[in-house]
Amino acid sequence: MSKKVNKKRQAYQEKQQKQGQNVVKWIFIGLLLLAIVYVAFTMTTMN
């Protein structure tokens, strides 16, 4: 393959990797927020 195609492929892979890490980060943040809301909800309904 030509060098131009290899550079494009590598740039695309790096872009995909960054986007994947971003998605994982936001899923983790969302789950953490849901856990906090759940704890707060259970604390208020216990009384």
Short mmCIF file of all heavy atoms in Angstrom, two decimals:
data_model
loop_
_atom_site.label_atom_id
_atom_site.label_comp_id
_atom_site.label_asym_id
_atom_site.label_seq_id
_atom_site.Cartn_x
_atom_site.Cartn_y
_atom_site.Cartn_z
N MET A 1 0.83 -1.19 0.00
CA MET A 1 0.00 0.00 0.00
C MET A 1 0.87 1.25 0.00
O MET A 1 2.00 1.24 0.46
CB MET A 1 -0.88 0.03 1.24
CG MET A 1 -1.98 -0.95 1.24
SD MET A 1 -3.12 -0.55 2.56
CE MET A 1 -4.23 -1.90 2.34
N SER A 2 0.29 2.29 -0.48
CA SER A 2 1.05 3.53 -0.54
C SER A 2 1.16 4.16 0.85
O SER A 2 0.38 3.86 1.75
CB SER A 2 0.40 4.51 -1.51
OG SER A 2 -0.82 4.96 -0.99
N LYS A 3 2.09 5.03 0.99
CA LYS A 3 2.30 5.70 2.28
C LYS A 3 1.11 6.58 2.63
O LYS A 3 0.75 6.73 3.80
CB LYS A 3 3.58 6.53 2.24
CG LYS A 3 4.83 5.68 2.17
CD LYS A 3 6.06 6.54 2.14
CE LYS A 3 7.30 5.68 2.04
NZ LYS A 3 8.52 6.47 2.06
N LYS A 4 0.49 7.17 1.60
CA LYS A 4 -0.66 8.06 1.84
C LYS A 4 -1.82 7.28 2.45
O LYS A 4 -2.48 7.74 3.39
CB LYS A 4 -1.08 8.69 0.52
CG LYS A 4 -2.11 9.77 0.65
CD LYS A 4 -2.35 10.45 -0.69
CE LYS A 4 -3.31 11.59 -0.55
NZ LYS A 4 -3.55 12.26 -1.83
N VAL A 5 -2.08 6.10 1.94
CA VAL A 5 -3.17 5.26 2.45
C VAL A 5 -2.86 4.82 3.88
O VAL A 5 -3.75 4.82 4.74
CB VAL A 5 -3.41 4.04 1.53
CG1 VAL A 5 -4.41 3.09 2.15
CG2 VAL A 5 -3.88 4.49 0.16
N ASN A 6 -1.61 4.47 4.14
CA ASN A 6 -1.22 4.05 5.49
C ASN A 6 -1.39 5.19 6.49
O ASN A 6 -1.84 4.98 7.61
CB ASN A 6 0.22 3.55 5.50
CG ASN A 6 0.35 2.16 4.93
OD1 ASN A 6 -0.62 1.42 4.89
ND2 ASN A 6 1.52 1.82 4.46
N LYS A 7 -1.05 6.41 6.09
CA LYS A 7 -1.21 7.56 6.97
C LYS A 7 -2.68 7.81 7.26
O LYS A 7 -3.07 8.09 8.39
CB LYS A 7 -0.58 8.81 6.35
CG LYS A 7 0.92 8.83 6.43
CD LYS A 7 1.46 10.13 5.87
CE LYS A 7 2.97 10.15 5.91
NZ LYS A 7 3.51 11.42 5.41
N LYS A 8 -3.52 7.71 6.22
CA LYS A 8 -4.96 7.90 6.40
C LYS A 8 -5.53 6.84 7.34
O LYS A 8 -6.34 7.13 8.21
CB LYS A 8 -5.70 7.84 5.07
CG LYS A 8 -5.65 9.11 4.27
CD LYS A 8 -6.54 9.00 3.05
CE LYS A 8 -6.63 10.30 2.31
NZ LYS A 8 -7.54 10.20 1.16
N ARG A 9 -5.12 5.60 7.13
CA ARG A 9 -5.61 4.50 7.96
C ARG A 9 -5.19 4.69 9.42
O ARG A 9 -5.98 4.49 10.34
CB ARG A 9 -5.10 3.17 7.43
CG ARG A 9 -5.62 1.98 8.23
CD ARG A 9 -5.24 0.68 7.60
NE ARG A 9 -6.06 0.52 6.41
CZ ARG A 9 -5.83 -0.37 5.44
NH1 ARG A 9 -4.79 -1.15 5.53
NH2 ARG A 9 -6.62 -0.45 4.40
N GLN A 10 -3.95 5.09 9.64
CA GLN A 10 -3.46 5.31 11.00
C GLN A 10 -4.19 6.47 11.65
O GLN A 10 -4.57 6.39 12.82
CB GLN A 10 -1.96 5.56 10.98
CG GLN A 10 -1.37 5.67 12.37
CD GLN A 10 0.14 5.85 12.35
OE1 GLN A 10 0.74 5.95 11.28
NE2 GLN A 10 0.76 5.89 13.51
N ALA A 11 -4.42 7.55 10.91
CA ALA A 11 -5.14 8.70 11.46
C ALA A 11 -6.57 8.30 11.82
O ALA A 11 -7.10 8.71 12.86
CB ALA A 11 -5.14 9.84 10.45
N TYR A 12 -7.20 7.49 10.98
CA TYR A 12 -8.56 7.03 11.25
C TYR A 12 -8.60 6.16 12.49
O TYR A 12 -9.50 6.29 13.33
CB TYR A 12 -9.10 6.27 10.04
CG TYR A 12 -10.51 5.77 10.23
CD1 TYR A 12 -11.59 6.64 10.19
CD2 TYR A 12 -10.76 4.42 10.45
CE1 TYR A 12 -12.88 6.19 10.36
CE2 TYR A 12 -12.04 3.96 10.62
CZ TYR A 12 -13.11 4.84 10.57
OH TYR A 12 -14.38 4.37 10.75
N GLN A 13 -7.64 5.27 12.64
CA GLN A 13 -7.58 4.41 13.82
C GLN A 13 -7.40 5.23 15.09
O GLN A 13 -8.03 4.95 16.12
CB GLN A 13 -6.44 3.40 13.69
CG GLN A 13 -6.74 2.26 12.76
CD GLN A 13 -5.57 1.29 12.64
OE1 GLN A 13 -4.43 1.63 12.95
NE2 GLN A 13 -5.85 0.08 12.18
N GLU A 14 -6.55 6.23 15.05
CA GLU A 14 -6.33 7.09 16.22
C GLU A 14 -7.60 7.86 16.56
O GLU A 14 -7.95 8.00 17.73
CB GLU A 14 -5.17 8.04 15.96
CG GLU A 14 -3.82 7.36 15.93
CD GLU A 14 -2.69 8.28 15.50
OE1 GLU A 14 -2.96 9.47 15.24
OE2 GLU A 14 -1.55 7.80 15.43
N LYS A 15 -8.29 8.34 15.54
CA LYS A 15 -9.54 9.07 15.76
C LYS A 15 -10.58 8.15 16.40
O LYS A 15 -11.27 8.53 17.35
CB LYS A 15 -10.06 9.61 14.42
CG LYS A 15 -11.34 10.38 14.52
CD LYS A 15 -11.79 10.85 13.14
CE LYS A 15 -13.15 11.49 13.20
NZ LYS A 15 -13.65 11.83 11.87
N GLN A 16 -10.71 6.94 15.89
CA GLN A 16 -11.66 5.98 16.44
C GLN A 16 -11.31 5.64 17.89
O GLN A 16 -12.20 5.49 18.73
CB GLN A 16 -11.67 4.70 15.60
CG GLN A 16 -12.30 4.85 14.25
CD GLN A 16 -13.79 5.08 14.33
OE1 GLN A 16 -14.27 6.20 14.36
NE2 GLN A 16 -14.52 4.02 14.38
N GLN A 17 -10.04 5.49 18.18
CA GLN A 17 -9.61 5.16 19.54
C GLN A 17 -9.97 6.28 20.50
O GLN A 17 -10.48 6.03 21.60
CB GLN A 17 -8.11 4.90 19.56
CG GLN A 17 -7.61 4.43 20.90
CD GLN A 17 -6.11 4.11 20.88
OE1 GLN A 17 -5.44 4.40 19.90
NE2 GLN A 17 -5.61 3.53 21.93
N LYS A 18 -9.74 7.53 20.10
CA LYS A 18 -10.07 8.67 20.95
C LYS A 18 -11.57 8.74 21.19
O LYS A 18 -12.02 9.01 22.30
CB LYS A 18 -9.57 9.97 20.34
CG LYS A 18 -8.08 10.14 20.43
CD LYS A 18 -7.63 11.44 19.78
CE LYS A 18 -6.11 11.55 19.78
NZ LYS A 18 -5.66 12.78 19.12
N GLN A 19 -12.36 8.51 20.14
CA GLN A 19 -13.81 8.55 20.28
C GLN A 19 -14.29 7.42 21.19
O GLN A 19 -15.19 7.61 22.00
CB GLN A 19 -14.49 8.46 18.92
CG GLN A 19 -14.39 9.72 18.11
CD GLN A 19 -15.04 9.60 16.75
OE1 GLN A 19 -15.28 8.49 16.26
NE2 GLN A 19 -15.30 10.73 16.12
N GLY A 20 -13.70 6.26 21.07
CA GLY A 20 -14.06 5.13 21.92
C GLY A 20 -13.76 5.42 23.38
O GLY A 20 -14.57 5.10 24.26
N GLN A 21 -12.62 6.01 23.65
CA GLN A 21 -12.27 6.35 25.03
C GLN A 21 -13.24 7.39 25.58
O GLN A 21 -13.62 7.33 26.75
CB GLN A 21 -10.84 6.87 25.09
CG GLN A 21 -9.80 5.81 24.87
CD GLN A 21 -8.39 6.37 24.77
OE1 GLN A 21 -8.19 7.56 24.62
NE2 GLN A 21 -7.40 5.49 24.83
N ASN A 22 -13.66 8.33 24.74
CA ASN A 22 -14.60 9.36 25.15
C ASN A 22 -15.94 8.73 25.51
O ASN A 22 -16.55 9.10 26.51
CB ASN A 22 -14.76 10.39 24.03
CG ASN A 22 -15.35 11.68 24.53
OD1 ASN A 22 -15.30 11.98 25.71
ND2 ASN A 22 -15.90 12.45 23.61
N VAL A 23 -16.40 7.79 24.71
CA VAL A 23 -17.68 7.12 24.97
C VAL A 23 -17.60 6.35 26.28
O VAL A 23 -18.53 6.42 27.11
CB VAL A 23 -18.05 6.19 23.80
CG1 VAL A 23 -19.21 5.27 24.17
CG2 VAL A 23 -18.40 6.99 22.57
N VAL A 24 -16.53 5.63 26.51
CA VAL A 24 -16.38 4.86 27.75
C VAL A 24 -16.37 5.80 28.95
O VAL A 24 -17.00 5.52 29.98
CB VAL A 24 -15.08 4.01 27.71
CG1 VAL A 24 -14.77 3.42 29.06
CG2 VAL A 24 -15.22 2.92 26.67
N LYS A 25 -15.70 6.93 28.82
CA LYS A 25 -15.65 7.91 29.92
C LYS A 25 -17.04 8.42 30.25
O LYS A 25 -17.42 8.48 31.42
CB LYS A 25 -14.73 9.08 29.53
CG LYS A 25 -14.61 10.15 30.60
CD LYS A 25 -13.65 11.25 30.21
CE LYS A 25 -14.24 12.09 29.11
NZ LYS A 25 -13.44 13.28 28.79
N TRP A 26 -17.83 8.77 29.24
CA TRP A 26 -19.18 9.29 29.49
C TRP A 26 -20.12 8.23 30.05
O TRP A 26 -20.99 8.53 30.87
CB TRP A 26 -19.75 9.92 28.22
CG TRP A 26 -19.20 11.29 28.01
CD1 TRP A 26 -18.30 11.68 27.07
CD2 TRP A 26 -19.46 12.46 28.80
NE1 TRP A 26 -18.01 13.02 27.22
CE2 TRP A 26 -18.70 13.52 28.28
CE3 TRP A 26 -20.27 12.71 29.90
CZ2 TRP A 26 -18.73 14.80 28.80
CZ3 TRP A 26 -20.29 13.99 30.43
CH2 TRP A 26 -19.54 15.01 29.89
N ILE A 27 -19.97 6.98 29.62
CA ILE A 27 -20.78 5.90 30.19
C ILE A 27 -20.44 5.75 31.67
O ILE A 27 -21.33 5.60 32.51
CB ILE A 27 -20.55 4.58 29.42
CG1 ILE A 27 -21.18 4.67 28.04
CG2 ILE A 27 -21.10 3.39 30.19
CD1 ILE A 27 -20.87 3.52 27.13
N PHE A 28 -19.17 5.79 32.02
CA PHE A 28 -18.75 5.67 33.41
C PHE A 28 -19.29 6.83 34.24
O PHE A 28 -19.80 6.62 35.34
CB PHE A 28 -17.21 5.63 33.48
CG PHE A 28 -16.69 5.47 34.88
CD1 PHE A 28 -16.77 4.25 35.52
CD2 PHE A 28 -16.12 6.54 35.55
CE1 PHE A 28 -16.30 4.09 36.82
CE2 PHE A 28 -15.65 6.40 36.84
CZ PHE A 28 -15.74 5.17 37.48
N ILE A 29 -19.23 8.04 33.71
CA ILE A 29 -19.76 9.21 34.43
C ILE A 29 -21.26 9.07 34.63
O ILE A 29 -21.79 9.35 35.71
CB ILE A 29 -19.40 10.51 33.68
CG1 ILE A 29 -17.90 10.78 33.79
CG2 ILE A 29 -20.20 11.69 34.21
CD1 ILE A 29 -17.40 11.90 32.89
N GLY A 30 -21.96 8.61 33.61
CA GLY A 30 -23.40 8.41 33.71
C GLY A 30 -23.76 7.39 34.77
O GLY A 30 -24.70 7.60 35.56
N LEU A 31 -23.05 6.28 34.81
CA LEU A 31 -23.31 5.25 35.81
C LEU A 31 -23.02 5.77 37.22
O LEU A 31 -23.76 5.47 38.16
CB LEU A 31 -22.47 4.01 35.52
CG LEU A 31 -22.91 3.18 34.32
CD1 LEU A 31 -21.90 2.07 34.05
CD2 LEU A 31 -24.29 2.59 34.54
N LEU A 32 -21.97 6.54 37.36
CA LEU A 32 -21.63 7.12 38.65
C LEU A 32 -22.72 8.07 39.12
O LEU A 32 -23.13 8.03 40.29
CB LEU A 32 -20.28 7.84 38.55
CG LEU A 32 -19.63 8.28 39.85
CD1 LEU A 32 -19.34 7.08 40.73
CD2 LEU A 32 -18.35 9.02 39.55
N LEU A 33 -23.22 8.92 38.23
CA LEU A 33 -24.30 9.83 38.59
C LEU A 33 -25.58 9.08 38.97
O LEU A 33 -26.26 9.45 39.93
CB LEU A 33 -24.58 10.80 37.44
CG LEU A 33 -23.51 11.86 37.19
CD1 LEU A 33 -23.84 12.66 35.94
CD2 LEU A 33 -23.37 12.77 38.39
N LEU A 34 -25.89 8.02 38.23
CA LEU A 34 -27.06 7.22 38.57
C LEU A 34 -26.92 6.58 39.95
O LEU A 34 -27.89 6.49 40.71
CB LEU A 34 -27.30 6.14 37.51
CG LEU A 34 -27.90 6.63 36.20
CD1 LEU A 34 -27.92 5.50 35.18
CD2 LEU A 34 -29.31 7.15 36.43
N ALA A 35 -25.71 6.14 40.28
CA ALA A 35 -25.47 5.54 41.60
C ALA A 35 -25.68 6.57 42.69
O ALA A 35 -26.28 6.28 43.73
CB ALA A 35 -24.06 4.96 41.66
N ILE A 36 -25.21 7.79 42.48
CA ILE A 36 -25.38 8.85 43.47
C ILE A 36 -26.86 9.18 43.65
O ILE A 36 -27.34 9.35 44.77
CB ILE A 36 -24.55 10.10 43.06
CG1 ILE A 36 -23.06 9.79 43.18
CG2 ILE A 36 -24.93 11.31 43.90
CD1 ILE A 36 -22.17 10.83 42.56
N VAL A 37 -27.59 9.27 42.54
CA VAL A 37 -29.03 9.56 42.62
C VAL A 37 -29.74 8.43 43.36
O VAL A 37 -30.62 8.67 44.19
CB VAL A 37 -29.62 9.77 41.21
CG1 VAL A 37 -31.13 9.79 41.23
CG2 VAL A 37 -29.08 11.05 40.61
N TYR A 38 -29.37 7.20 43.08
CA TYR A 38 -29.99 6.06 43.74
C TYR A 38 -29.74 6.09 45.25
O TYR A 38 -30.66 5.87 46.05
CB TYR A 38 -29.45 4.75 43.15
CG TYR A 38 -29.95 3.53 43.87
CD1 TYR A 38 -31.26 3.10 43.71
CD2 TYR A 38 -29.12 2.80 44.71
CE1 TYR A 38 -31.73 1.98 44.37
CE2 TYR A 38 -29.58 1.68 45.37
CZ TYR A 38 -30.88 1.27 45.19
OH TYR A 38 -31.35 0.17 45.85
N VAL A 39 -28.52 6.38 45.66
CA VAL A 39 -28.20 6.45 47.08
C VAL A 39 -28.98 7.57 47.75
O VAL A 39 -29.56 7.39 48.83
CB VAL A 39 -26.67 6.64 47.30
CG1 VAL A 39 -26.36 7.00 48.73
CG2 VAL A 39 -25.93 5.38 46.88
N ALA A 40 -29.05 8.72 47.10
CA ALA A 40 -29.80 9.84 47.66
C ALA A 40 -31.28 9.49 47.76
O ALA A 40 -31.93 9.80 48.78
CB ALA A 40 -29.61 11.07 46.79
N PHE A 41 -31.82 8.83 46.77
CA PHE A 41 -33.23 8.45 46.79
C PHE A 41 -33.53 7.45 47.90
O PHE A 41 -34.52 7.58 48.62
CB PHE A 41 -33.63 7.86 45.44
CG PHE A 41 -35.05 7.38 45.37
CD1 PHE A 41 -36.09 8.30 45.30
CD2 PHE A 41 -35.35 6.03 45.38
CE1 PHE A 41 -37.40 7.88 45.24
CE2 PHE A 41 -36.64 5.60 45.33
CZ PHE A 41 -37.69 6.52 45.26
N THR A 42 -32.67 6.46 48.06
CA THR A 42 -32.91 5.45 49.11
C THR A 42 -32.75 6.06 50.51
O THR A 42 -33.43 5.63 51.44
CB THR A 42 -31.98 4.24 48.95
OG1 THR A 42 -30.63 4.68 48.93
CG2 THR A 42 -32.30 3.48 47.69
N MET A 43 -31.87 7.04 50.66
CA MET A 43 -31.69 7.68 51.96
C MET A 43 -32.95 8.48 52.34
O MET A 43 -33.32 8.52 53.50
CB MET A 43 -30.47 8.61 51.94
CG MET A 43 -29.18 7.88 51.79
SD MET A 43 -28.82 6.89 53.24
CE MET A 43 -27.21 7.47 53.61
N THR A 44 -33.56 9.12 51.38
CA THR A 44 -34.73 9.95 51.68
C THR A 44 -35.98 9.11 51.89
O THR A 44 -36.90 9.54 52.59
CB THR A 44 -34.99 10.98 50.57
OG1 THR A 44 -35.18 10.29 49.34
CG2 THR A 44 -33.83 11.95 50.46
N THR A 45 -36.07 7.95 51.30
CA THR A 45 -37.27 7.13 51.43
C THR A 45 -37.20 6.17 52.62
O THR A 45 -38.18 5.52 52.93
CB THR A 45 -37.53 6.31 50.15
OG1 THR A 45 -36.39 5.50 49.88
CG2 THR A 45 -37.82 7.23 48.99
N MET A 46 -36.08 6.09 53.30
CA MET A 46 -35.96 5.18 54.45
C MET A 46 -36.73 5.71 55.65
O MET A 46 -37.18 4.95 56.49
CB MET A 46 -34.49 4.96 54.81
CG MET A 46 -33.73 4.12 53.80
SD MET A 46 -32.01 3.92 54.24
CE MET A 46 -32.12 2.87 55.67
N ASN A 47 -36.89 7.00 55.80
CA ASN A 47 -37.55 7.58 56.97
C ASN A 47 -39.03 7.56 56.84
O ASN A 47 -39.82 7.69 56.20
CB ASN A 47 -37.07 9.01 57.21
CG ASN A 47 -35.61 9.00 57.59
OD1 ASN A 47 -35.12 8.02 58.15
ND2 ASN A 47 -34.91 10.06 57.28
#
